[in-house]
Every structure is written in C-alpha cells, then in structure tokens.
C-alpha cells in the first residue's frame, strides 16, 4: 500500500532546502531522531517538506504518520517531547538526522528507544 504525504500541497519549507531533498515516491524522507548528548538512536519517523518545515521552525519534531495520514508532533499525546537541538541532511540529502533532547520514551511501546528490544545475533566473525 502506498501512502501519500499530507494534505498540504505546498509547504513553507525554504525552497533551497526543498530543492536539495531526495524524496521517495511517496514524497517522504526518513528522519532519524538521535539523543543529542549521548548519541543514542531513538527512533525513525517520516517527514515531507511541511513536516521538516515545522520541525525547523517550532523546535519540536514533527513527522508524517503513514498509518494515520496526518502530521504529528512527537509528544502531543504522550508528553514525550522531542526538543530539536540540530537538524542535518546526510551526504545524499535523502535522510534527515534530528538531534533532540528527548523527554521520556521515544518509542510508542513506552521504551526509551525503538531499537533496544530486538537485537539480532551476529554470525560474521568480528
């Protein structure tokens, strides 16, 4: 099932930034949230131009929910807010890294991160 980005066809995102973004067919880019002081990877969300604009201008991480088909600022319902410290694009401009100060759990399951429960075993020599 292919989802489409938000209801806002135009965004207030800086056109110079928008021109650099390499979006997927659905208009979205992956956004990695990382705790700014520890380097802990907290979660992965999705952003379109408007979600990135809101993140850059409000100081709170805003994502596009592919399942609910709406924008959501992290913490609006849970209180587990992500305050933005910095935002960077990767070298290909197809992924956003948002360094945040996370309040409470980042994962919808209530865990601190989305990546601490299902660690896969390595079989390759180290």
């Amino acid at each position: 099932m292919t989802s489409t980005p938000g209801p806002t066809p135009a965004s207030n995102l800086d056109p110079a930034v928008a021109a650099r973004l390499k979006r997927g067919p659905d208009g979205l880019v992956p956004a990695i949230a990382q705790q700014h002081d520890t380097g802990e990877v907290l979660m992965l969300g999705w952003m379109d131009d408007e979600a990135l604009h809101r993140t850059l201008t409000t100081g709170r991480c805003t994502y596009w929910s592919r399942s609910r088909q709406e924008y959501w600022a992290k913490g609006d319902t849970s209180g587990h807010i992500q305050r933005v410290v910095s935002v960077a694009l990767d070298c290909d401009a197809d992924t956003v890294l948002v360094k945040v100060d996370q309040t409470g759990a980042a994962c919808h399951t209530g865990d601190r991160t989305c990546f601490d429960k299902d660690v896969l075993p390595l079989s390759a020599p180290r």
Side-chain angles (χ1 to χ4, degrees), residues 18-32:
R20 294 174 55 203
L21 285 178
K22 293 180 186 162
R23 300 160 199 79
D26 55 5
L28 302 173
V29 294
I32 300 165

Side-chain angles (χ1 to χ4, degrees), residues 122-126:
L122 296 175
S123 58
R126 291 175 221 162

Side-chain angles (χ1 to χ4, degrees), residues 32 34 36 55-56 61 83-88 96-101:
I32 300 165
Q34 180 182 38
H36 75 99
T55 297
L56 291 169
C61 278
R83 287 185 178 79
V84 177
V85 174
S86 67
V87 180
V96 176
L97 175 63
V98 186
K99 292 189 179 182
V100 301
D101 187 16

Side-chain angles (χ1 to χ4, degrees), residues 8 12 15 17 23 27-30 37 41 47 63 66 69-70 73 77-78 87-88 104 107 110 120:
T8 309
N12 291 315
V17 174
R23 300 160 199 79
L28 302 173
V29 294
D37 53 355
V41 176
M47 292 184 178
Y63 301 98
R66 296 181 302 168
Q69 296 288 294
E70 65 184 13
T77 57
S78 68
V87 180
C107 187
L120 303 177

Side-chain angles (χ1 to χ4, degrees), residues 74 78-82 102-113:
K74 183 70 175 164
S78 68
H80 299 167
I81 296 169
Q82 292 176 341
Q102 176 72 45
T103 300
C107 187
H108 72 280
T109 64
D111 289 330
R112 170 77 179 159
T113 97

